[in-house]
Amino acid sequence: MDQLALLFVLLLGAVVTVPLGDRLGLPAPVLMTLGGVVLALVPVVPNIDIPPEFILPLVLPPLLYASAQRTSWRQFAANVRPILLLAVALVFVTTAAVAAVAHAVVPGLPIAAAVALGALVAPPDPVAATAVAGALRLPRRMVSILEGEGLFNDVTAIVLYHVAIAAAVSGSFSWPAALGEFVLSAVVAVAVGLALGWAANRLMGLLGDATLQIGLTLLVPFVAYVVAEECQGSGVLAVLTTALFLAEYATDADDVLGRLAGHTFWEVVDMLVTGVAFGLIGLELHNVFGVARGREWEMTGWAAAVVAVVVGVRLLWLLPAGWLAKRLHSLRDYDEEIPLSWRESVVMWWAGMRGVASVALALAIPLRTADGAEFPGRDQMIFIAFAVIMSTLVVQGLTLPWLVRRLAVEADTDEEAAIARDLAIRAAKAAKRRLKEIEQAEDLPEDLVEVLHRRAYDVGARISPDMVDEERREAYEKRVERIRDVQRIQKEMMSAARHEVLAARSEPGADPEIVDRVLRHLDVRSLRSP
């Protein structure tokens, strides 16, 4: 088996583990990691051979861009305090604690390399945690915190990592210089991200076609990363800035098909890249154990010390930080998402699994320094990093469902239903306002006006049936039943039409392009309600 065949095996595994994880009640990332471990034990499976300089540019941009689609700049602004506490301050504290312990226990490990190790194991991975959260129905508030933390702690940790790696490669490290480089990198990245986001937004308007627009969004994160890195800025922060800008300003409410297609496309990209990355974690264990050959117990002791620091610091930080955030929230009454109890803080602590970002940063450690010497402590750093990743991902990932059930942390369905009801009412009112405007501007038949008023009312009722009273709900349910009958019959009619058109594709003299055009028209029509 060669490297290309192994890549396709990992891609297939990324697809298969999603339904398999649903059946087994296990997170797909954990299954992919365990699958990688199994593959690593097969003699015909080759060792992974990816140049370190290609790891970050290939893996991180699409993952960050896909994750940013699930949040917004306004959500970030509303939750700036929890993000600063969890995604910035905690990353700095974890990095410093790990660096101090690693520098003390690993013989000959320079302080710059120790800081790089601390930075690469500091950011928890939100993918596995949110995969578990979806299955366990954690409060939406907690899922939002985990997703926001995952985005911004990756950015913070990766910028720290780059500063530390540059110092280790050059052989000199200065805290003032490192802080100045950190700030400069962030400023350049934000500037590049905003400029590229504005340019991409304008270009999307010129392209028009949804296929071309989605193709552009695939290129944007890679361009943002490369341009920012070339300008001595943070590539990951540039990608995040661009993604938030486009999410805020490039959304057309009437572009239904483009939005559905774009959402589906990025879900596929996120699933495949994430699956491959977690599979690489398991596959790399073969190389990691080779590095430790002859020193297994000694390096395991170092790794155990770092794992204890990583897990312990998060708990010791989250409990008081959660209390402080709650205290400030009650005093200032900000609309922000924070853990509301010690139980939620404990679940968030145990959800701090390391994953994609950590493995990408570990594999991206340079082989040599600027003077041609071997990178100091690279083997030890990789071993410790993978020990942290496997310990937190497998142990915490498999026990998190038990902990959530034990602490009885679950979603507030009444609150979620209330939010959906409020949005449904707003949607129905907006539809009615527009209908009144059209009535005033056009002379519509009375029977048509009556139908349109009912449909405007149904806009909200379809989203949240609880918004209507009992009598109206019964009438609405009868209409829904009739609509379902119409949809069922229309579905069968459209299916027959599509089968006939597809059969014509195989007939002599048929033009595949014209057949596909007609089939696309039928597909689009099938998406519309009767």
Side-chain angles (χ1 to χ4, degrees):
M1 180 184 293
D2 58 17
Q3 300 275 336
L4 183 60
L6 179 58
L7 173 62
F8 284 117
V9 169
L10 291 177
L11 290 172
L12 176 61
V15 176
V16 172
T17 53
V18 173
L20 182 61
D22 292 339
R23 287 175 177 260
L24 298 177
L26 298 174
V30 175
L31 289 180
M32 275 301 299
T33 304
L34 296 176
V37 173
V38 173
L39 283 175
L41 300 176
V42 179
V44 297
V45 175
N47 292 332
I48 296 296
D49 185 21
I50 305 176
E53 62 272 16
F54 290 160
I55 297 293
L56 297 182
L58 290 176
V59 173
L60 291 181
L63 289 180
L64 286 170
Y65 192 89
S67 297
Q69 304 303 303
R70 296 188 286 267
T71 185
S72 68
W73 170 255
R74 298 184 188 280
Q75 187 179 35
F76 163 70
N79 295 290
V80 65
R81 269 199 316 239
I83 287 173
L84 289 176
L85 283 171
L86 295 175
V88 180
L90 181 54
V91 168
F92 275 99
V93 172
T94 304
T95 299
V98 170
V101 171
H103 181 63
V105 301
V106 181
L109 186 67
I111 185 64
V115 172
L117 174 62
L120 73 89
V121 299
D125 185 87
V127 177
T130 52
V132 177
L136 298 176
R137 289 194 55 79
L138 287 178
R140 180 59 205 168
R141 177 185 63 261
M142 291 184 63
V143 178
S144 298
I145 296 173
L146 290 171
E147 290 176 345
E149 178 194 9
L151 271 178
F152 292 95
N153 66 23
D154 280 355
V155 172
T156 307
I158 292 169
V159 173
L160 273 175
Y161 168 88
H162 280 304
V163 171
I165 288 292
V169 169
S170 64
S172 61
F173 185 79
S174 168
W175 283 109
L179 181 60
E181 186 177 346
F182 183 93
V183 174
L184 178 62
S185 175
V187 172
V188 170
V190 171
V192 170
L194 291 175
L196 188 60
W198 178 85
N201 187 25
R202 296 296 297 271
L203 186 55
M204 282 185 184
L206 295 175
L207 292 175
D209 183 73
T211 303
L212 299 177
Q213 291 177 343
I214 294 171
L216 178 63
T217 63
L218 178 61
L219 297 177
V220 162
F222 295 102
V223 173
Y225 186 94
V226 172
V227 171
E229 290 289 325
E230 290 294 324
C231 297
Q232 306 303 312
S234 167
V236 291
L237 183 55
V239 173
L240 180 59
T241 304
T242 302
L244 290 177
F245 184 95
L246 291 176
E248 190 76 17
Y249 296 105
T251 301
D252 182 0
D254 295 326
D255 186 16
V256 178
L257 291 178
R259 186 163 50 253
L260 290 174
H263 179 73
T264 302
F265 173 81
W266 276 105
E267 278 194 336
V268 172
V269 171
D270 191 20
M271 174 194 63
L272 293 178
V273 177
T274 299
V276 170
F278 279 103
L280 288 176
I281 296 175
L283 284 169
E284 272 295 317
L285 287 181
H286 185 273
N287 294 334
V288 170
F289 288 136
V291 166
R293 187 170 291 115
R295 298 184 296 169
E296 290 87 349
W297 290 111
E298 182 183 24
M299 294 181 70
T300 300
W302 302 339
V306 173
V307 170
V309 170
V310 167
V311 176
V313 166
R314 183 171 175 85
L315 177 63
L316 294 176
W317 181 269
L318 275 178
L319 290 177
W323 174 86
L324 178 61
K326 185 177 179 180
R327 178 70 175 169
L328 293 174
H329 176 79
S330 61
L331 291 175
R332 304 291 294 277
D333 196 25
Y334 283 159
D335 184 18
E336 59 189 6
E337 293 156 336
I338 58 174
L340 296 182
S341 68
W342 68 268
R343 290 183 176 84
E344 292 189 1
S345 294
V346 170
V347 170
M348 286 195 60
W349 161 58
W350 204 241
M353 297 166 274
R354 272 59 180 175
V356 174
S358 295
V359 71
L361 295 176
L363 295 177
I365 297 174
L367 298 175
R368 299 192 176 275
T369 61
D371 58 5
E374 291 186 359
F375 191 93
R378 186 178 191 273
D379 291 345
Q380 294 91 324
M381 292 171 64
I382 291 179
F383 182 88
I384 293 172
F386 275 84
V388 172
I389 294 166
M390 291 301 297
S391 299
T392 58
L393 182 61
V394 175
V395 176
Q396 293 178 215
L398 293 178
T399 57
L400 183 60
W402 173 85
L403 181 66
V404 170
R405 290 191 295 268
R406 184 73 176 177
L407 296 179
V409 176
E410 56 186 14
D412 187 347
T413 54
D414 292 338
E415 180 182 359
E416 293 180 0
I419 294 174
R421 184 168 56 252
D422 291 342
L423 289 173
I425 294 173
R426 289 177 58 182
K429 287 182 176 178
K432 289 180 179 179
R433 283 197 303 269
R434 182 57 184 151
L435 178 58
K436 287 183 179 179
E437 293 172 358
I438 296 175
E439 282 186 74
Q440 294 174 356
E442 302 179 23
D443 185 17
L444 299 177
E446 291 186 5
D447 57 340
L448 178 59
V449 171
E450 181 181 352
V451 172
L452 291 175
H453 271 286
R454 187 166 62 246
R455 291 196 174 186
Y457 181 81
D458 289 348
V459 167
R462 287 192 181 193
I463 300 172
S464 177
D466 293 339
M467 65 173 282
V468 300
D469 55 40
E470 187 66 30
E471 182 178 351
R472 285 184 165 185
R473 188 180 303 153
E474 291 180 1
Y476 171 73
E477 288 175 353
K478 290 180 180 179
R479 288 201 305 273
V480 168
E481 187 175 351
R482 288 197 301 269
I483 291 173
R484 285 174 180 168
D485 289 339
V486 172
Q487 288 177 333
R488 175 179 55 81
I489 297 172
Q490 178 171 308
K491 183 179 179 181
E492 295 182 9
M493 293 166 54
M494 297 302 294
S495 176
R498 287 192 297 270
H499 278 83
E500 185 67 24
V501 173
L502 277 175
R505 204 177 197 276
S506 303
E507 295 174 356
D511 188 332
E513 184 176 347
I514 297 177
V515 172
D516 290 344
R517 190 189 312 158
V518 174
L519 187 61
R520 178 176 173 80
H521 173 79
L522 292 175
D523 289 339
V524 172
R525 180 66 183 86
S526 299
L527 291 175
R528 299 173 182 171
S529 301

